[in-house]
Amino acid sequence: ACAVAWVWRIDRENGPRIVMAAALLLFMPAHIYMSAMLGEEILSGALISAVLYGVAVDLTREPEQRFPLLATAGLGVLAGLAFLTKLTGLLVVAAAGFAYLVDALRRRDLTHVIPKVLVFGLVAGVIGGWPYVLNRVEYGYFYPQNLMVHELMFTMPPGERGLMDYLTF
């Protein structure tokens, strides 16, 4: 949906391009269609998409019309929630900060972007990073992997899917 909104925003006159962006939704992973509940992958993906859309909108504006720091902090909240949901959410924090810095270097104006990057990164880090810091303090690692509790999933069958999985909620 963010892809459709983005194409609509940048190329409103190009109907086929908008239809193509909407048609790409047909190629979303099947687990999203078949999911009986909102899982962490879906939630994290939605949050990441919202952050990327917000950053893209902000970067296409003229510098004097860019989001204020409070709105940037709001994007940081969404990025932090993506990071809190799944570790891969950290990638959107880095990507957004990098996009702001590249844009600032291109415009040769680092003074206005540094506070924005710091606010975005700090908010995202505080919201999404605290469990990893807590793990490091309590257990000695940032991210647990290869734990005995995870071994159970290797003994479980993959399950089966039928036609009704695509037609029912």
Side-chain angles (χ1 to χ4, degrees):
C2 286
V4 174
W6 179 250
V7 172
W8 175 265
R9 179 179 171 78
I10 65 168
D11 197 5
R12 196 170 295 200
E13 304 301 320
N14 192 343
R17 190 175 185 188
I18 296 168
V19 170
M20 179 60 94
L24 288 175
L25 295 174
L26 296 173
F27 297 101
M28 285 177 25
H31 73 275
I32 293 176
Y33 295 137
M34 298 185 310
S35 182
M37 63 183 171
L38 183 66
E40 74 269 9
E41 289 92 359
I42 297 168
L43 177 59
S44 182
L47 291 167
I48 288 169
S49 296
V51 171
L52 292 175
Y53 179 76
V55 170
V57 167
D58 194 23
L59 289 175
T60 57
R61 294 179 169 195
E62 292 300 319
E64 60 276 356
Q65 297 175 336
R66 297 256 171 113
F67 293 158
L69 283 180
L70 188 59
T72 304
L75 288 174
V77 167
L78 293 177
L81 290 172
F83 180 23
L84 184 63
T85 305
K86 285 193 74 75
L87 180 60
T88 53
L90 180 59
L91 294 174
V92 77
V93 177
F98 187 69
Y100 278 121
L101 288 173
V102 166
D103 181 67
L105 289 172
R106 185 176 59 84
R107 292 180 185 269
R108 292 182 175 86
D109 183 21
L110 281 174
T111 57
H112 290 98
V113 80
I114 296 298
K116 186 172 271 219
V117 171
L118 289 176
V119 165
F120 176 84
L122 186 64
V123 169
V126 167
I127 289 176
W130 68 266
Y132 304 102
V133 172
L134 187 63
N135 279 343
R136 179 68 175 165
V137 170
E138 286 191 21
Y139 305 113
Y141 50 76
F142 287 109
Y143 188 76
Q145 65 182 41
N146 300 331
L147 298 177
M148 291 303 292
V149 71
H150 295 137
E151 295 297 320
L152 175 65
M153 69 182 162
F154 294 116
T155 65
M156 299 171 73
E160 294 187 23
R161 294 285 180 204
L163 179 62
M164 291 310 293
D165 291 326
Y166 293 96
L167 303 175
T168 60
F169 291 98

